[in-house]
Amino acid sequence: MFKTIIEPFRIKSVERIRMTTREERERLVRAAHYNVFTLASDDVLIDLLTDSGTGAMSAMQWAAIMRGDESYAGSPSFYRFEKSVRDLMGFEYIIPTHQGRAAEHILFSIMCKAGDVVPSNGHFDTTRANIEVRGAEALDLPCAEGKDLASIFPFKGNMDVEALRATFKKLGRERIPLVMMTVTNNSGGGQPASLANLKAVAAVCREFERPFYIDACRFAENAYFIKLREPGMAEQPVRAIVAEMFKLADGCTMSAKKDGLANIGGFLATRDPALARQEKDLLILTEGFPTYGGLAGRDLDAIAVGLNEVVEEDYLAYRIASTGYLGEHLTKAGVPILQPPGGHAIYLDAARFAAHLAPLQLPGIAICVGLYELGGLRAVEIGTAMFGRRDPVTGKEQAGPRELVRLAIPRRVYTQSHIDYVIEVVAGLYAERARLPGYRIVEQAAFLRHFTAHYAPEQRS
Ligand SMILES: *Cc1c(COP(=O)(O)O)cnc(C)c1O
């Protein structure tokens, strides 16, 4: 056997990367107030801001786009989309939405009321926001290993099942309208949940007679981790593992911008006909008719094909290996990262990377600016800029719970030499980390400030 895992595709259409110099980038990032969200993407060499909607579609998906039927009602594109989801996940009622958060909005509008609690292994931020806007609480119950950045436990995305049972006993089932598992756990570092854990959580839900939902955004990556890491699963086809995962669930929400391999789209699924009827009524109000749900027919066709391509094992072997490759080489270069490498991203441990900076000096922002200036990389801070708070009365800044910088890998977009370049840039910045200046926020919005905030560096040495 050869040790090199090649990209299992050839490239027939390319996008030019506009090369820039370090001087140019220093000027551009200063003009962007040191916030990489404000940069024009044409000024970025390797864009690792997100893996959401940034993937490359296949020739078969582009062909499917041409086949898209734009009938308002009953389009064959919808039936192809519905069949792909049903063949994979087995749900009876499948409701298309324009992206994942629209599915969440519909689900929680119907199932959640003020005072409710929705437990999860780790809610994604749009999921949390859609629960909180109902006046309910989004409760994270990650397993103990999931809280330790350095632990190499294979299933750090697991839920703490005993904590879930204790929550049911304490609050009573009336206040818990549903339980959710995010696979893989995005907020927790793209870490997978095991099939055994999914089964244990589903069993607690059955015991207390409450629906079990899966936030399915990266279901295929999670299924492949189960195949690689869970005892007795190595010989199982990924499709069979996916079927086993979803057999446990009463429904799911999905962003097709992740493991749908599409640039837009999502869906909500359930087995409950009465709930599906309510969901479709709300869909018509906010998204569109139930056979398009805020999407064009061509988008539905692109997702129909993408869902079959994402469970191809050659694709998943390459996907997980290429993210792992970045993580392993950064680790070898001494760069502190959240271990083990996740499915869709590598998270730099910014507190250790820039250990000379306190959380309020925004070490994650310092690293993001540094990566852009040095090598034209765009990454995202997940730290005090994103999750810290300014006291509205005193104006005093409060640090976030942890300091991370995420390097998210778009699907089928970058080759190994791009990733080798990323490794060089990150390792290069790590070598000169002592020179990273601290940053402070000079302008911020009241909500989701990290998207638009202006920063300024402290005096550079
Ligand atoms: C991206 C994401 C969502 C929201 O999906 P959008 O398509 O961005 O609205 C929900 N949950 C998880 C885990 C995600 O990664």
Tab-separated table of all heavy atoms in Angstrom, residues 50-53 97-104 122-127 130 180 182-187 215-218 253-258 264-266 344 406, ligand 1:
chain	number	residue	atom	x	y	z
A	50	THR	N	-14.384	29.585	7.057
A	50	THR	CA	-15.462	28.633	7.348
A	50	THR	C	-15.497	27.523	6.305
A	50	THR	O	-15.004	27.692	5.188
A	50	THR	CB	-16.840	29.346	7.369
A	50	THR	OG1	-17.862	28.366	7.595
A	50	THR	CG2	-17.135	30.060	6.076
A	51	ASP	N	-16.109	26.392	6.689
A	51	ASP	CA	-16.352	25.290	5.749
A	51	ASP	C	-17.817	25.308	5.308
A	51	ASP	O	-18.301	24.340	4.743
A	51	ASP	CB	-16.027	23.944	6.418
A	51	ASP	CG	-16.992	23.647	7.559
A	51	ASP	OD1	-17.338	24.575	8.318
A	51	ASP	OD2	-17.415	22.477	7.698
A	52	SER	N	-18.530	26.398	5.593
A	52	SER	CA	-19.972	26.450	5.351
A	52	SER	C	-20.291	27.083	4.008
A	52	SER	O	-20.098	28.288	3.818
A	52	SER	CB	-20.646	27.251	6.465
A	52	SER	OG	-22.024	27.350	6.211
A	53	GLY	N	-20.786	26.279	3.072
A	53	GLY	CA	-21.168	26.796	1.764
A	53	GLY	C	-19.978	27.133	0.879
A	53	GLY	O	-20.159	27.688	-0.203
A	97	THR	N	-35.344	23.933	3.594
A	97	THR	CA	-35.225	25.309	4.099
A	97	THR	C	-34.019	25.965	3.425
A	97	THR	O	-33.181	25.260	2.864
A	97	THR	CB	-35.009	25.333	5.627
A	97	THR	OG1	-33.824	24.589	5.927
A	97	THR	CG2	-36.196	24.746	6.380
A	98	HIS	N	-33.938	27.302	3.537
A	98	HIS	CA	-32.839	27.958	2.803
A	98	HIS	C	-31.486	27.723	3.444
A	98	HIS	O	-30.465	27.776	2.787
A	98	HIS	CB	-33.117	29.450	2.587
A	98	HIS	CG	-32.821	30.299	3.777
A	98	HIS	ND1	-33.711	30.484	4.793
A	98	HIS	CD2	-31.709	31.012	4.101
A	98	HIS	CE1	-33.173	31.274	5.715
A	98	HIS	NE2	-31.961	31.604	5.318
A	99	GLN	N	-31.433	27.490	4.761
A	99	GLN	CA	-30.229	26.954	5.386
A	99	GLN	C	-30.571	26.372	6.739
A	99	GLN	O	-31.742	26.334	7.122
A	99	GLN	CB	-29.072	27.951	5.411
A	99	GLN	CG	-29.310	29.325	5.940
A	99	GLN	CD	-28.030	30.178	5.803
A	99	GLN	OE1	-27.844	30.839	4.807
A	99	GLN	NE2	-27.170	30.147	6.806
A	100	GLY	N	-29.562	25.918	7.481
A	100	GLY	CA	-29.815	25.186	8.720
A	100	GLY	C	-30.600	25.980	9.746
A	100	GLY	O	-31.513	25.455	10.399
A	101	ARG	N	-30.252	27.256	9.901
A	101	ARG	CA	-30.891	28.043	10.970
A	101	ARG	C	-32.388	28.244	10.730
A	101	ARG	O	-33.143	28.431	11.681
A	101	ARG	CB	-30.160	29.380	11.136
A	101	ARG	CG	-30.283	30.306	9.967
A	101	ARG	CD	-29.231	31.392	10.029
A	101	ARG	NE	-27.885	30.837	9.824
A	101	ARG	CZ	-26.772	31.548	9.879
A	101	ARG	NH1	-26.820	32.820	10.172
A	101	ARG	NH2	-25.591	30.988	9.658
A	102	ALA	N	-32.827	28.191	9.480
A	102	ALA	CA	-34.260	28.308	9.184
A	102	ALA	C	-34.985	27.044	9.660
A	102	ALA	O	-36.102	27.117	10.178
A	102	ALA	CB	-34.471	28.528	7.685
A	103	ALA	N	-34.332	25.892	9.515
A	103	ALA	CA	-34.898	24.642	10.040
A	103	ALA	C	-34.996	24.724	11.563
A	103	ALA	O	-36.003	24.331	12.162
A	103	ALA	CB	-34.030	23.454	9.615
A	104	GLU	N	-33.944	25.259	12.187
A	104	GLU	CA	-33.949	25.408	13.655
A	104	GLU	C	-35.072	26.344	14.089
A	104	GLU	O	-35.786	26.077	15.057
A	104	GLU	CB	-32.610	25.995	14.119
A	104	GLU	CG	-31.435	25.051	13.893
A	104	GLU	CD	-30.087	25.737	14.049
A	104	GLU	OE1	-30.054	26.989	14.202
A	104	GLU	OE2	-29.065	25.037	14.026
A	122	GLY	N	-23.524	19.849	22.675
A	122	GLY	CA	-22.948	21.175	22.467
A	122	GLY	C	-23.760	21.877	21.394
A	122	GLY	O	-23.735	21.464	20.232
A	123	HIS	N	-24.503	22.895	21.785
A	123	HIS	CA	-25.313	23.611	20.801
A	123	HIS	C	-24.408	24.481	19.924
A	123	HIS	O	-23.504	25.144	20.419
A	123	HIS	CB	-26.322	24.531	21.500
A	123	HIS	CG	-27.459	23.792	22.131
A	123	HIS	ND1	-28.477	23.241	21.401
A	123	HIS	CD2	-27.744	23.513	23.421
A	123	HIS	CE1	-29.349	22.661	22.207
A	123	HIS	NE2	-28.927	22.809	23.448
A	124	PHE	N	-24.708	24.516	18.639
A	124	PHE	CA	-24.069	25.485	17.737
A	124	PHE	C	-24.680	26.860	18.024
A	124	PHE	O	-25.780	26.950	18.572
A	124	PHE	CB	-24.320	25.069	16.288
A	124	PHE	CG	-23.666	25.966	15.289
A	124	PHE	CD1	-22.286	26.084	15.241
A	124	PHE	CD2	-24.430	26.708	14.397
A	124	PHE	CE1	-21.690	26.930	14.325
A	124	PHE	CE2	-23.828	27.549	13.481
A	124	PHE	CZ	-22.458	27.660	13.444
A	125	ASP	N	-23.997	27.962	17.654
A	125	ASP	CA	-24.475	29.277	18.101
A	125	ASP	C	-25.835	29.674	17.519
A	125	ASP	O	-26.651	30.269	18.222
A	125	ASP	CB	-23.417	30.382	17.942
A	125	ASP	CG	-22.827	30.460	16.545
A	125	ASP	OD1	-23.342	29.754	15.654
A	125	ASP	OD2	-21.869	31.214	16.338
A	126	THR	N	-26.140	29.282	16.258
A	126	THR	CA	-27.473	29.629	15.718
A	126	THR	C	-28.564	28.792	16.412
A	126	THR	O	-29.682	29.258	16.597
A	126	THR	CB	-27.571	29.383	14.200
A	126	THR	OG1	-27.318	28.002	13.923
A	126	THR	CG2	-26.583	30.232	13.420
A	127	THR	N	-28.210	27.547	16.780
A	127	THR	CA	-29.161	26.680	17.479
A	127	THR	C	-29.469	27.292	18.847
A	127	THR	O	-30.635	27.426	19.241
A	127	THR	CB	-28.562	25.267	17.670
A	127	THR	OG1	-27.811	24.923	16.521
A	127	THR	CG2	-29.644	24.243	17.911
A	130	ASN	N	-31.666	30.354	18.474
A	130	ASN	CA	-33.065	30.039	18.147
A	130	ASN	C	-33.825	29.442	19.325
A	130	ASN	O	-35.049	29.530	19.382
A	130	ASN	CB	-33.132	29.093	16.938
A	130	ASN	CG	-33.143	29.868	15.629
A	130	ASN	OD1	-34.036	30.660	15.386
A	130	ASN	ND2	-32.129	29.664	14.806
A	180	MET	N	-31.049	17.148	21.889
A	180	MET	CA	-30.337	17.257	20.606
A	180	MET	C	-28.907	16.770	20.702
A	180	MET	O	-28.244	16.990	21.704
A	180	MET	CB	-30.314	18.723	20.188
A	180	MET	CG	-31.050	18.902	18.901
A	180	MET	SD	-31.020	20.559	18.314
A	180	MET	CE	-31.346	20.180	16.608
A	182	THR	N	-25.386	17.185	18.411
A	182	THR	CA	-24.758	17.826	17.269
A	182	THR	C	-23.629	16.921	16.777
A	182	THR	O	-22.698	16.630	17.530
A	182	THR	CB	-24.183	19.194	17.674
A	182	THR	OG1	-25.182	19.914	18.398
A	182	THR	CG2	-23.766	19.991	16.468
A	183	VAL	N	-23.755	16.438	15.526
A	183	VAL	CA	-22.702	15.564	14.981
A	183	VAL	C	-22.157	16.173	13.688
A	183	VAL	O	-22.929	16.497	12.818
A	183	VAL	CB	-23.249	14.145	14.714
A	183	VAL	CG1	-23.738	13.498	15.995
A	183	VAL	CG2	-24.365	14.124	13.693
A	184	THR	N	-20.825	16.338	13.652
A	184	THR	CA	-19.903	16.352	14.781
A	184	THR	C	-20.152	17.601	15.617
A	184	THR	O	-20.845	18.507	15.159
A	184	THR	CB	-18.447	16.390	14.289
A	184	THR	OG1	-18.296	17.557	13.428
A	184	THR	CG2	-18.087	15.186	13.443
A	185	ASN	N	-19.586	17.638	16.805
A	185	ASN	CA	-19.808	18.784	17.682
A	185	ASN	C	-18.946	19.965	17.228
A	185	ASN	O	-17.759	20.036	17.537
A	185	ASN	CB	-19.485	18.386	19.121
A	185	ASN	CG	-19.841	19.486	20.103
A	185	ASN	OD1	-20.198	20.594	19.715
A	185	ASN	ND2	-19.748	19.177	21.374
A	186	ASN	N	-19.561	20.883	16.484
A	186	ASN	CA	-18.836	22.017	15.886
A	186	ASN	C	-18.231	22.909	16.968
A	186	ASN	O	-17.039	23.204	16.960
A	186	ASN	CB	-19.794	22.813	14.992
A	186	ASN	CG	-19.113	23.916	14.216
A	186	ASN	OD1	-17.899	24.091	14.289
A	186	ASN	ND2	-19.871	24.665	13.453
A	187	SER	N	-19.073	23.322	17.934
A	187	SER	CA	-18.594	24.231	18.976
A	187	SER	C	-17.505	23.576	19.827
A	187	SER	O	-16.667	24.259	20.393
A	187	SER	CB	-19.744	24.655	19.883
A	187	SER	OG	-20.819	25.107	19.101
A	215	ASP	N	-28.671	17.270	15.177
A	215	ASP	CA	-28.198	18.374	14.337
A	215	ASP	C	-27.170	17.726	13.414
A	215	ASP	O	-26.062	17.415	13.814
A	215	ASP	CB	-27.576	19.479	15.200
A	215	ASP	CG	-26.992	20.613	14.360
A	215	ASP	OD1	-26.691	20.381	13.172
A	215	ASP	OD2	-26.804	21.715	14.897
A	216	ALA	N	-27.608	17.487	12.161
A	216	ALA	CA	-26.913	16.540	11.282
A	216	ALA	C	-25.844	17.177	10.386
A	216	ALA	O	-25.316	16.495	9.503
A	216	ALA	CB	-27.953	15.837	10.409
A	217	CYS	N	-25.491	18.441	10.613
A	217	CYS	CA	-24.646	19.180	9.653
A	217	CYS	C	-23.450	18.393	9.127
A	217	CYS	O	-23.142	18.419	7.953
A	217	CYS	CB	-24.167	20.482	10.286
A	217	CYS	SG	-25.530	21.609	10.571
A	218	ARG	N	-22.751	17.670	10.020
A	218	ARG	CA	-21.555	16.927	9.582
A	218	ARG	C	-21.725	15.437	9.872
A	218	ARG	O	-20.846	14.773	10.411
A	218	ARG	CB	-20.307	17.523	10.244
A	218	ARG	CG	-20.081	18.980	9.809
A	218	ARG	CD	-18.896	19.651	10.456
A	218	ARG	NE	-18.815	21.044	10.034
A	218	ARG	CZ	-19.537	22.045	10.560
A	218	ARG	NH1	-20.379	21.802	11.553
A	218	ARG	NH2	-19.404	23.275	10.101
A	253	THR	N	-32.244	18.397	12.119
A	253	THR	CA	-32.062	19.641	11.379
A	253	THR	C	-30.762	19.499	10.619
A	253	THR	O	-29.853	18.786	11.053
A	253	THR	CB	-31.965	20.867	12.314
A	253	THR	OG1	-30.892	20.650	13.233
A	253	THR	CG2	-33.250	21.091	13.080
A	254	MET	N	-30.666	20.171	9.468
A	254	MET	CA	-29.470	19.990	8.641
A	254	MET	C	-29.147	21.277	7.882
A	254	MET	O	-30.056	21.944	7.374
A	254	MET	CB	-29.745	18.855	7.629
A	254	MET	CG	-28.690	18.690	6.548
A	254	MET	SD	-27.231	17.803	7.170
A	254	MET	CE	-26.144	17.912	5.737
A	255	SER	N	-27.867	21.618	7.831
A	255	SER	CA	-27.382	22.648	6.920
A	255	SER	C	-26.694	21.951	5.759
A	255	SER	O	-25.662	21.306	5.949
A	255	SER	CB	-26.389	23.568	7.624
A	255	SER	OG	-25.754	24.389	6.669
A	256	ALA	N	-27.263	22.074	4.558
A	256	ALA	CA	-26.663	21.421	3.384
A	256	ALA	C	-25.377	22.114	2.950
A	256	ALA	O	-24.687	21.643	2.047
A	256	ALA	CB	-27.668	21.389	2.239
A	257	LYS	N	-25.036	23.237	3.610
A	257	LYS	CA	-23.792	23.951	3.301
A	257	LYS	C	-22.577	23.237	3.882
A	257	LYS	O	-21.446	23.615	3.600
A	257	LYS	CB	-23.867	25.373	3.870
A	257	LYS	CG	-25.045	26.169	3.316
A	257	LYS	CD	-25.196	27.508	3.994
A	257	LYS	CE	-24.128	28.485	3.514
A	257	LYS	NZ	-24.418	29.871	3.985
A	258	LYS	N	-22.809	22.231	4.697
A	258	LYS	CA	-21.709	21.436	5.268
A	258	LYS	C	-21.664	20.097	4.517
A	258	LYS	O	-21.235	20.067	3.378
A	258	LYS	CB	-21.877	21.239	6.774
A	258	LYS	CG	-22.425	22.415	7.597
A	258	LYS	CD	-21.682	23.680	7.496
A	258	LYS	CE	-22.201	24.868	8.294
A	258	LYS	NZ	-23.084	24.725	9.404
A	264	ILE	N	-25.685	26.297	-0.674
A	264	ILE	CA	-26.804	26.851	0.097
A	264	ILE	C	-27.802	25.719	0.348
A	264	ILE	O	-27.807	24.736	-0.381
A	264	ILE	CB	-27.470	28.044	-0.665
A	264	ILE	CG1	-28.372	28.867	0.242
A	264	ILE	CG2	-28.230	27.557	-1.883
A	264	ILE	CD1	-27.643	29.697	1.288
A	265	GLY	N	-28.649	25.894	1.384
A	265	GLY	CA	-29.720	24.916	1.605
A	265	GLY	C	-29.669	24.250	2.967
A	265	GLY	O	-28.682	24.350	3.697
A	266	GLY	N	-30.774	23.603	3.294
A	266	GLY	CA	-30.882	22.860	4.545
A	266	GLY	C	-32.208	22.139	4.578
A	266	GLY	O	-32.970	22.198	3.607
A	344	HIS	N	-13.642	18.863	10.333
A	344	HIS	CA	-13.735	19.959	9.364
A	344	HIS	C	-12.793	21.101	9.659
A	344	HIS	O	-12.737	22.058	8.891
A	344	HIS	CB	-15.170	20.496	9.315
A	344	HIS	CG	-15.578	21.253	10.563
A	344	HIS	ND1	-15.748	20.647	11.779
A	344	HIS	CD2	-15.817	22.569	10.774
A	344	HIS	CE1	-16.098	21.550	12.682
A	344	HIS	NE2	-16.145	22.725	12.098
A	406	ARG	N	-9.868	29.144	14.759
A	406	ARG	CA	-10.275	28.005	13.938
A	406	ARG	C	-9.782	28.147	12.510
A	406	ARG	O	-9.955	29.191	11.881
A	406	ARG	CB	-11.795	27.885	13.936
A	406	ARG	CG	-12.275	26.625	13.212
A	406	ARG	CD	-13.781	26.545	13.168
A	406	ARG	NE	-14.314	27.495	12.192
A	406	ARG	CZ	-15.603	27.612	11.895
A	406	ARG	NH1	-16.495	26.860	12.519
A	406	ARG	NH2	-16.007	28.483	10.999
B	1	LIG	C1	-23.664	25.720	10.309
B	1	LIG	C2	-24.353	25.032	11.396
B	1	LIG	C3	-25.705	25.294	11.699
B	1	LIG	C4	-26.499	26.378	10.992
B	1	LIG	O1	-26.575	26.182	9.630
B	1	LIG	P1	-26.625	27.424	8.591
B	1	LIG	O2	-26.812	26.759	7.278
B	1	LIG	O3	-25.332	28.164	8.724
B	1	LIG	O4	-27.798	28.259	8.976
B	1	LIG	C5	-26.283	24.571	12.719
B	1	LIG	N1	-25.600	23.652	13.414
B	1	LIG	C6	-24.307	23.374	13.166
B	1	LIG	C7	-23.593	22.323	13.962
B	1	LIG	C8	-23.637	24.055	12.161
B	1	LIG	O5	-22.341	23.791	11.922
